[in-house]
Amino acid sequence: MRDEGLEVDGDRKLHEFNISWFDRLNDNFYGRFILSLGQVFNKPVTYFRENWIEPIQAKNRGVYYHRRFRRVPTIDECYEDDQLCIYEANDQMKRDKNVDKQIVRHLKFRFDSCRRTHGPGAQTRCYKTYEDWLQAKEDYMIKWGDLPAQHNTLDVYYKQVHRMIHERRQQLQKEQGSSE
């Protein structure tokens, strides 16, 4: 196979030298004129943006779509008569549920995108994303599935407690079954 644009001199290859468009413009008078004309228009705009606009924007910088809420006490840390703590725990639970739901949706979108991209070879190439999506969906259903439509933090908390009790009983039954 012969490389185009290369001259072979014995064992050495003399590579063609690539020149950028900026260097080509700097080589002649017309090019330097065009670059200086661009600088004449660019310098004042850049100066105005760096010294006037960006300092004003830096004062008012606040990313509205990445609001960070502080973590509040969970429902098991609230007193029975502390309605504000219970309300905050309910709001925290709703935000956590929405985050988990968006994670599952994002992983499903990633899997669908991988399937569309790879076509027939998707079964092998997209297996990891498929497993991630199934695991996230299973975790979501373990945590949020089988709850009533109007659930609150206490429902979620009791579901978690019952799941932990069930897992402990299963483990005790395994230990008793293996010791006999």
Side-chain angles (χ1 to χ4, degrees):
M1 188 167 127
R2 186 166 179 227
D3 294 331
E4 291 184 23
L6 298 178
E7 297 178 16
V8 178
D9 182 24
D11 292 336
R12 296 183 326 165
K13 288 185 179 181
L14 302 174
H15 293 279
E16 187 177 278
F17 186 73
N18 293 328
I19 300 174
S20 70
W21 65 271
F22 183 78
D23 291 333
R24 288 183 187 154
L25 283 178
N26 264 336
D27 283 345
N28 57 28
F29 175 76
Y30 176 72
R32 286 192 299 270
F33 175 74
I34 294 297
L35 288 175
S36 64
L37 191 63
Q39 290 294 325
V40 165
F41 289 110
N42 190 23
K43 288 287 185 182
V45 172
T46 304
Y47 175 81
F48 181 74
R49 177 161 178 82
E50 289 176 353
N51 294 323
W52 291 80
I53 303 296
E54 288 178 358
I56 292 172
Q57 287 179 347
K59 291 178 192 172
N60 301 327
R61 189 170 311 270
V63 183
Y64 65 92
Y65 51 87
H66 279 250
R67 183 172 176 195
R68 292 188 180 228
F69 293 95
R70 63 180 179 85
R71 296 298 291 187
V72 296
T74 56
I75 193 71
D76 59 327
E77 298 170 350
C78 293
Y79 292 112
E80 292 178 9
D81 59 344
D82 190 1
Q83 293 299 317
L84 182 61
C85 182
I86 293 171
Y87 178 79
E88 288 179 341
N90 274 328
D91 276 355
Q92 182 70 49
M93 181 259 320
K94 290 175 187 175
R95 286 191 297 268
D96 290 344
K97 183 177 180 181
N98 283 335
V99 167
D100 291 344
K101 189 185 302 182
Q102 290 301 321
I103 289 172
V104 172
R105 283 184 181 170
H106 179 73
L107 290 173
K108 171 75 168 133
F109 176 75
R110 187 183 293 176
F111 171 64
D112 289 342
S113 175
C114 181
R115 241 183 14 199
R116 282 190 301 272
T117 302
H118 296 296
Q123 288 182 344
T124 55
R125 293 181 179 162
C126 302
Y127 185 73
K128 176 74 170 106
T129 54
Y130 178 69
E131 289 293 320
D132 291 343
W133 172 56
L134 285 183
Q135 183 65 42
K137 192 166 69 166
E138 180 183 353
D139 293 343
Y140 181 83
M141 289 308 293
I142 287 172
K143 188 172 183 180
W144 304 107
D146 298 332
L147 287 171
Q150 298 294 324
H151 59 276
N152 60 15
T153 312
L154 279 175
D155 296 330
V156 175
Y157 177 69
Y158 286 136
K159 181 179 178 183
Q160 179 183 6
V161 168
H162 291 310
R163 188 181 77 236
M164 292 171 66
I165 291 171
H166 177 72
E167 289 174 357
R168 189 176 302 150
R169 285 182 184 162
Q170 293 294 326
Q171 186 177 6
L172 286 173
Q173 287 177 357
K174 279 184 183 178
E175 290 174 2
Q176 289 175 357
S178 64
S179 65
E180 292 177 0

